[in-house]
Amino acid sequence: MSDKILSLRSNQPSLMRYLDSYIRRAHTSSKQLALLVVQVKRGQEFGALFGYRSIEQLMEQMAARLSDVCRKDDRVMRIGDHEYALILPDVMNEGHAILAANKILRALSIPFEVDNHMVSMGASMGIALFPDHAGQSDTLLQHAELALSDAIRSSAPYLMYRDSTPEKLAGAWDLESELDTALDNGELEIFYQPKINLRGGLLAGAEALLRWRSPSRGIVPPNIFIPIATRTGQIKELTWSAINMALQHAAAWPTRFGPLTLAINIAPSLLVDETLVRRVADAMGLWSAKPNRLILEITESAMMDNPDISFETIRELKNRGVMVSIDDFRTGYSSLANFKYSPASELKIDKSFVMNMLASKADANIVRAIIGLAQAFDLQVAAEGAESMEILRTLAALQCNYAQGYYISQPIPANAFAQFINEYVPPVF
Ligand code: C2E
Ligand code: MG
Ligand code: MG
């Protein structure tokens, strides 16, 4: 064991040396450098159960897989008992680093053979970028480690340093007035999360998810600014511009998988706005969007708070070829009596059930029941929160129609999504 500690300690300085030299190079190029820190999930437990030799076998196989997915100039280094650091020197943008993270985590999700047993380990990852998140090697490593510990705590497969502590962002900002400036200055950006068809695994479409790229704060997640925008009424302007931006992006998506659907979230207050249908129709006309390609996601609670008006609006949208999906579906609000009149096209199962469906029998039963309900009412059913291949397989076996989740990809910037379409390889169920 003492040898091991020595070798680990001796690796930290060499990581720093490499980082320093890579950073010197990055200074003179327009590219960014990404530092990824990867930790095996439950490594300690595994070591305690199977012993030191087994964990070493596992780490060696892991290193081999990491080098396989890395490019020529990337560097992989062991920096802890259950931890590797990866330096990726030629990263164009954050989206690029996210694509690499997805590729790496997918490679590590395939079971390893240790002592003639197949073991599924999985990994967590923290990412920090030079120069965006830190200007020096020690802070870059510190920020990647911080993102890793936040990823582990929040059960996210990976976190980018600046997304990793949203609560800290909220603090004392004067968000309302900053949000006004954000709208004026075009700081709101749309990320896309791919949605796949579980029959065959082909790409089916994407969900547009807003991000606020604040020059002073970095990326602000929607769970912080959407509630504020809803309270102040800024949500209307924000949604109209999101619909237009997303339709404009979608018009230029590569056609490799045929026409893809575009899902946009609509806040409850807009469902009763009498200009909604006209604005959506105008935007579709402007960007030549085809019928049955646009999906508006509204939450189950919003629809059932005011079923008469909501159903009427959904019917009008449907007449114009726009589908409606009931988001965050938990069967909490809809009585079956109401539900049978709902003109929605799709149910989207709340991610809290899907994420836990392998560990919790109760959650698995709820997922199964919602799929059954959708089938009984002739609705499509989608699952969000698919975080592993096993969940995808289980959902496919239950005849769930669509899935999205971190296993396929986290939400990624528009340019990275266009690249994702071109590079996507369907999983084998
Ligand atoms: P949502 O519409 O239910 O979106 C799904 C959320 O689940 C997204 O969070 C997505 O990143 C996250 N997610 C997807 N797959 C997984 C997974 O496998 N594991 C985990 N842990 N999470 C996963 P995000 O992007 O932070 O958005 C949060 C919410 O903010 C959205 O929930 C939506 O209600 C709201 N939102 C986002 N953009 C807009 C918008 O343009 N308008 C409105 N009104 N709301 C928006
Ligand atoms: Mg949604
Ligand atoms: Mg949802």
Side-chain angles (χ1 to χ4, degrees):
M1 193 71 183
S2 57
D3 284 0
K4 175 100 187 313
I5 294 168
L6 270 180
S7 79
L8 294 179
R9 283 211 184 116
S10 60
N11 252 350
Q12 284 281 0
S14 64
L15 170 71
M16 296 320 234
R17 258 201 315 279
Y18 273 116
L19 263 181
D20 283 337
S21 78
Y22 274 94
I23 284 177
R24 268 196 300 279
R25 254 171 52 194
H27 263 300
T28 56
S29 88
S30 59
K31 307 249 177 70
Q32 302 207 32
L33 180 152
L35 176 66
L36 282 53
V37 184
V38 190
Q39 193 183 87
V40 189
K41 277 189 188 160
R42 299 178 301 275
Q44 211 126 21
E45 268 170 62
F46 182 89
L49 274 173
F50 296 97
Y52 170 71
R53 216 195 316 261
S54 300
I55 192 93
E56 287 310 298
Q57 266 184 41
L58 179 81
M59 293 306 283
E60 272 167 31
Q61 290 180 46
M62 209 167 156
R65 284 198 200 165
L66 290 172
S67 340
D68 276 353
V69 288
C70 281
R71 294 174 309 180
K72 193 165 66 37
D73 290 337
D74 300 344
R75 188 154 295 272
V76 182
M77 298 186 76
R78 174 111 177 240
I79 56 164
D81 280 335
H82 316 117
E83 211 166 298
Y84 281 100
L86 287 91
I87 308 174
L88 315 186
D90 284 326
V91 171
M92 308 300 286
N93 50 40
E94 206 172 286
H96 201 160
I98 292 174
L99 281 176
N102 269 312
K103 211 191 276 178
I104 290 163
L105 289 173
R106 204 164 314 140
L108 298 181
S109 72
I110 300 166
F112 295 89
E113 192 179 341
V114 181
D115 283 342
N116 299 321
H117 293 291
M118 297 306 286
V119 289
S120 286
M121 295 304 290
S124 309
M125 185 189 286
I127 310 170
L129 298 179
F130 166 88
D132 278 10
H133 304 158
Q136 283 174 341
S137 51
D138 53 347
T139 31
L140 195 65
L141 177 61
Q142 193 189 345
H143 288 174
E145 292 278 13
L146 202 71
L148 170 67
S149 60
D150 280 341
I152 294 169
R153 207 176 38 236
S154 60
S155 334
Y158 62 85
L159 275 180
M160 188 68 77
Y161 168 66
R162 71 166 146 217
D163 290 342
S164 68
T165 45
E167 326 77 70
K168 289 181 204 150
L169 294 169
W173 308 348
D174 185 8
L175 281 170
E176 281 179 32
S177 61
E178 285 193 27
L179 197 51
D180 257 339
T181 328
L183 278 161
D184 291 345
N185 293 356
E187 288 163 23
L188 289 167
E189 194 178 323
I190 302 183
F191 276 38
Y192 292 91
Q193 188 176 37
K195 177 177 176 185
I196 66 165
N197 191 326
L198 285 171
R199 198 182 280 174
L202 295 186
L203 198 58
E207 177 174 4
L209 293 157
L210 273 173
R211 298 288 183 265
W212 172 7
R213 202 184 279 274
S214 152
S216 51
R217 325 278 177 197
I219 292 200
V220 186
N223 56 355
I224 289 181
F225 67 84
I226 298 279
I228 296 168
T230 302
R231 184 160 45 76
T232 59
Q234 288 158 309
I235 189 75
K236 292 197 178 180
E237 200 190 327
L238 190 146
T239 306
W240 310 144
S241 83
I243 292 174
N244 274 284
M245 271 196 281
L247 282 169
Q248 182 182 10
H249 286 148
W253 281 344
T255 53
R256 197 176 150 223
F257 292 93
L260 300 173
T261 56
L262 164 69
I264 299 179
N265 292 284
I266 299 293
S269 58
L270 294 181
L271 202 57
V272 291
D273 183 310
E274 66 275 16
T275 66
L276 174 74
V277 177
R278 179 178 53 77
R279 287 192 189 258
V280 170
D282 286 353
M284 285 176 70
L286 184 63
W287 302 108
S288 311
K290 302 260 180 318
N292 299 325
R293 292 293 119 204
L294 180 63
I295 303 177
L296 298 188
E297 294 194 0
I298 56 173
T299 59
E300 182 192 12
S301 55
M303 189 176 79
M304 290 305 173
D305 274 352
N306 217 328
D308 293 342
I309 302 181
S310 310
F311 288 6
E312 185 51 38
T313 309
I314 299 173
R315 259 184 229 106
E316 280 181 46
L317 288 165
K318 208 170 177 176
N319 288 340
R320 292 166 191 258
V322 180
M323 296 179 286
V324 166
S325 176
I326 310 178
D327 202 359
D328 301 344
F329 192 80
R330 314 172 62 104
T331 65
Y333 302 89
S334 334
S335 82
L336 280 181
N338 257 334
F339 195 72
K340 85 175 172 196
Y341 300 112
S342 160
S345 309
E346 180 185 83
L347 289 188
K348 211 161 176 193
I349 311 171
D350 193 271
K351 62 174 175 289
S352 60
F353 302 126
V354 179
M355 281 160 55
N356 296 324
M357 66 186 288
L358 299 179
S360 150
K361 215 167 172 172
D363 287 343
N365 285 338
I366 294 171
V367 170
R368 193 171 307 123
I370 298 177
I371 295 172
L373 184 72
Q375 286 164 347
F377 285 95
D378 220 7
L379 297 170
Q380 297 288 298
V381 58
E384 57 179 35
E387 291 191 348
S388 68
M389 185 64 199
E390 274 154 283
I391 294 182
L392 280 186
R393 276 202 192 108
T394 314
L395 289 166
L398 292 171
Q399 299 194 313
C400 181
N401 305 102
Y402 302 102
Q404 69 186 66
Y406 289 172
Y407 180 74
I408 304 151
S409 167
Q410 283 210 0
I412 48 179
N415 54 357
F417 180 63
Q419 199 177 332
F420 181 92
I421 300 175
N422 282 327
E423 292 176 1
Y424 174 70
V425 180
V428 180
F429 294 119

